[in-house]
Amino acid sequence: MGKLGTFGERLAELMSETELTAKGLAERLGVSSSTVYRWKNDACSIRLSNLIAVSDFFEATFDFLLGRCDDNQFSKHSAPPRRFDLCVRHIMKEAKMSIYKMKQLSRFDGKSLEKWRKSDPTAYTLEALADLFDCSVDHLLGRD
C-alpha cells in the first residue's frame, strides 16, 4: 500500500489547522514537547497508546494519521481498542491464519503476541500487520 503522507506530516497538518503548538499538544496528551517534535519530524515511531490519544484528540482515524488513506471517517462512538494481542488474535481468526503461518509470512510469531500482551506496539508494527492481514489499521484495532 502506498503512503499518502507520513504520520509526522499528518500531525503537522492537524496541528497547523488547529493552531496548536508542540508544547500545547504535549500538555494535552501528557507527553513531552520533545516527543511531539520527534513525531512531527518522523524521528521515531509513535506507540499505540499515544496514537490512540492523538486519534481521539484530533478525531482522526488511525489510517488517516498513518498516511494510509485520505478519507477520515472518524466515529466518535468508536470503542477504545482492547488489548493489542487480543486484537491480533481476533484478526488471525478472521483470516484463518495460524501462528505458524503468520511466522512464515512475516517476522511475527507467538513470542510477538506475548510481547504485545505486555507492551504497546509501534506504528511500524501496526502497519506491517495491517498489510499482512490486508486490512486497515482501524480494523486491526477493532475501531471501524
Side-chain angles (χ1 to χ4, degrees):
M1 175 177 281
K3 292 286 270 185
L4 303 171
T6 66
F7 174 75
E9 292 167 344
R10 292 286 169 99
L11 181 62
E13 176 185 330
L14 291 168
M15 289 173 63
S16 176
E17 287 175 6
T18 57
E19 299 180 359
L20 194 59
T21 64
K23 183 179 179 186
L25 181 59
E27 289 172 357
R28 287 171 175 81
L29 298 180
V31 298
S32 69
S33 55
S34 64
T35 296
V36 173
Y37 282 116
R38 286 195 313 270
W39 293 340
K40 276 181 59 177
N41 294 319
D42 291 311
C44 69
S45 184
I46 189 168
R47 293 221 162 256
L48 177 57
S49 56
N50 289 322
L51 182 63
I52 292 167
V54 171
S55 171
D56 290 346
F57 182 81
F58 287 111
E59 296 183 353
T61 66
F62 300 129
D63 289 288
F64 176 81
L65 288 171
L66 296 173
R68 295 173 63 85
C69 73
D70 277 331
D71 188 21
N72 188 20
Q73 295 293 323
F74 182 80
S75 173
K76 286 186 179 186
H77 304 291
S78 297
R82 57 185 185 248
R83 219 174 65 204
F84 184 67
D85 64 308
L86 297 178
C87 293
V88 174
R89 288 183 188 279
H90 176 76
I91 295 293
M92 287 173 67
K93 187 174 179 180
E94 279 184 357
K96 296 178 173 62
M97 186 180 293
S98 66
I99 292 173
Y100 177 74
K101 184 69 171 178
M102 185 170 73
K103 174 64 176 166
Q104 286 182 312
L105 297 174
S106 71
R107 60 185 172 92
F108 307 114
D109 59 14
K111 290 179 184 177
S112 301
L113 287 169
E114 183 60 27
K115 178 182 172 189
W116 297 328
R117 189 172 72 75
K118 299 174 183 173
S119 65
D120 278 348
T122 64
Y124 298 128
T125 298
L126 297 173
E127 291 185 281
L129 286 168
D131 289 344
L132 174 66
F133 295 117
D134 194 28
C135 67
S136 69
V137 174
D138 291 279
H139 182 71
L140 176 68
L141 297 171
R143 215 179 203 193
D144 61 349

